[in-house]
């Protein structure tokens, strides 16, 4: 049985800290390279290489070719994992 590739991003925040930008992604899970691709796309928008509207279009297209470059892994880390409580009563 094939696993679902659907993931839900709840929030993306971008903050400047000590001359660097910190991008935080909050969601229910992430696919391989997902955060790096999103980051590359946002960096291109921030540098004026693509419009904010094109970011939305890339997400809606569900086509990897419409997204930006894959950002390098340096500086990327998993900050927190939270588990929801499950009702296991029968």
């Amino acid at each position: 049985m094939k696993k679902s590739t659907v993931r839900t991003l709840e929030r993306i925040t971008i903050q400047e800290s000590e001359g660097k930008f910190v991008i935080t992604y909050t969601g229910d899970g992430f696919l391989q390279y997902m955060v790096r691709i999103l980051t590359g796309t946002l960096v291109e928008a921030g540098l004026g290489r693509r419009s904010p509207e094109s970011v939305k279009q890339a997400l809606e297209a569900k086509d990897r070719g419409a997204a930006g470059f894959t950002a390098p892994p340096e500086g990327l880390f998993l900050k927190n994992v939270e588990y929801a409580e499950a009702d296991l009563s029968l």
Side-chain angles (χ1 to χ4, degrees):
M1 194 165 155
K2 191 172 183 179
K3 290 184 177 183
S4 173
T5 58
V6 175
R7 301 294 184 265
T8 302
L9 274 175
E10 297 168 11
R11 181 176 54 245
I12 300 174
T13 59
I14 303 172
Q15 298 173 311
E16 186 175 3
S17 176
E18 299 176 12
K20 297 179 181 179
F21 289 94
V22 176
I23 305 173
T24 304
Y25 299 91
T26 304
D28 66 359
F30 302 96
L31 301 171
Q32 186 174 22
Y33 303 114
M34 179 178 169
V35 170
R36 292 174 57 192
I37 294 165
L38 287 166
T39 300
T41 304
L42 292 173
V43 166
E44 286 180 355
L47 293 172
R49 296 182 184 156
R50 66 169 51 234
S51 69
E53 182 61 30
S54 75
V55 175
K56 180 181 177 185
Q57 290 169 349
L59 290 170
E60 290 172 346
K62 299 178 184 179
D63 175 14
R64 171 61 185 101
F69 75 99
T70 302
E74 290 79 18
L76 177 66
F77 65 93
L78 179 62
K79 181 178 178 182
N80 188 35
V81 175
E82 296 179 15
Y83 294 93
E85 290 185 35
D87 181 8
L88 300 176
S89 62
L90 298 175

